[in-house]
Amino acid sequence: MHERFEAEDIRQVREAWPEAQILAHPECPAEVLELADFAGSTSAMTDYVVRRQPRQVVLITECSMADNIAAEAPNTEFVRPCNLCPHMKRISLENIYQALRHEQFEVLVAPDIAARARLSVQRMIDLPPPAVPARYDLVKARHHVDVELI
């Protein structure tokens, strides 16, 4: 759903709300990230808003995320140029309950892919929390050479 946002959307938001801080998820297109004030994961965006308490924020990510953060940042106004994720809205407690109860909707992943994914997730879990929240650095990202995921 992040690819639904375009640079023109960001320019229009910036024109309509010039004082708003624009925060984008790193899965957005590069031209969107270039126009954002901050790019980071869901937790990084949450941390940004909670710590800085900007007056206005535009989250370039799934719509409902603003609802989740608003409770922690009551003094921040959330401008919502929403793109609903068609997959996120399919997940509900009822669907999860039914899937577990009836052991249905199993997702099969090739063993080699599952092993690499498990290793990646474990490496993330093993990392100590950062002293300072990360900032997506577009300049460095552009200059990276191909990276092989193991």
Side-chain angles (χ1 to χ4, degrees):
M1 78 109 264
H2 295 100
E3 68 275 0
R4 292 181 180 178
F5 290 101
E6 298 178 356
E8 185 55 31
D9 298 327
I10 307 310
R11 283 191 275 281
Q12 289 175 5
V13 166
R14 178 94 54 209
E15 187 176 317
W17 292 277
E19 301 301 315
Q21 293 286 299
I22 298 176
L23 284 59
H25 194 279
E27 292 178 17
C28 291
E31 60 271 10
V32 168
L33 298 176
E34 287 178 26
L35 296 171
D37 296 306
F38 177 86
S41 66
T42 299
S43 62
M45 286 191 280
T46 301
D47 188 62
Y48 182 100
V49 173
V50 170
R51 285 180 187 248
R52 296 183 184 210
Q53 298 285 317
R55 194 174 68 71
Q56 283 186 326
V57 166
V58 180
L59 300 177
I60 307 301
T61 189
E62 211 280 325
C63 276
S64 62
M65 190 170 145
D67 298 330
N68 300 335
I69 301 173
E72 296 182 58
N75 297 323
T76 299
E77 175 190 354
F78 291 85
V79 178
R80 301 171 193 234
C82 284
N83 269 333
L84 288 173
C85 176
H87 308 295
M88 292 290 285
K89 297 304 176 193
R90 294 169 58 191
I91 300 171
S92 68
L93 287 177
E94 180 64 25
N95 288 345
I96 293 169
Y97 172 76
Q98 292 300 328
L100 293 172
R101 182 169 186 215
H102 301 291
E103 295 183 4
Q104 60 186 14
F105 309 121
E106 182 179 10
V107 176
L108 300 176
V109 178
D112 63 318
I113 294 173
R116 291 189 338 229
R118 192 174 294 108
L119 178 61
S120 295
V121 170
Q122 189 60 54
R123 285 177 178 163
M124 286 186 280
I125 291 169
D126 292 342
L127 287 173
V132 177
R135 168 76 164 89
Y136 185 80
D137 190 332
L138 214 77
V139 173
K140 285 182 183 174
R142 264 201 211 108
H143 298 323
H144 279 282
V145 293
D146 291 338
V147 175
E148 181 180 343
L149 298 176
I150 57 169

